[in-house]
Amino acid sequence: MTTTPARVGAYVLLLVLGALTGAAGVLVHAAWFPGGLLLALLAAAGLFCGALYATGTRSGVGAAAAGWLLAIVLLTVSRPEGDLLIGGSPVSYAFMLGGMAVAVICATMLRLPSGGAVSARLGK
């Protein structure tokens, strides 16, 4: 595939959307258990699968997942005051591991066939 400015822009946009989705998931996942956890994981799944279908490549999922993981890692670090956004609870681990699993699942999904080709035989 050729690298065009539009493709690079799409990957940068997916990286930013991944970071925003990860940051929102960090804030929501433990707030309304279990609804917040499900909402955060569904948002990540929607972003990752949408990235696959929007770009048509696994690199799109990788860009979105990289942004998501970057936000998660940066928000996991404790502050000087001792505050944590992601603690050592099972809910937090389920959010982090579940999001990574969703990214891997979306990256290894098969692409849907294109709508242009007709699979039926004509003339019979």
Side-chain angles (χ1 to χ4, degrees):
M1 280 200 197
T2 61
T3 304
T4 63
R7 183 173 294 276
V8 171
Y11 290 149
V12 169
L13 178 66
L14 287 170
L15 184 78
V16 170
L17 285 174
L20 291 173
T21 304
V26 166
L27 297 174
V28 168
H29 81 277
W32 305 305
F33 182 75
L37 177 62
L38 292 175
L39 181 66
L41 290 177
L42 284 175
L47 175 69
F48 300 149
C49 290
L52 176 67
Y53 291 126
T55 61
T57 64
R58 292 182 174 109
S59 300
V61 180
W68 184 86
L69 190 61
L70 181 67
I72 298 297
V73 168
L74 289 177
L75 293 173
T76 301
V77 177
S78 66
R79 297 178 22 181
E81 296 87 13
D83 297 337
L84 287 172
L85 289 175
I86 296 182
S89 67
V91 176
S92 296
Y93 287 128
F95 169 66
M96 291 186 290
L97 295 175
M100 289 181 220
V102 167
V104 169
I105 289 168
C106 289
T108 57
M109 281 178 29
L110 296 176
R111 285 187 236 144
L112 293 176
S114 63
V118 178
S119 61
R121 289 178 47 187
L122 299 177
K124 279 207 168 195

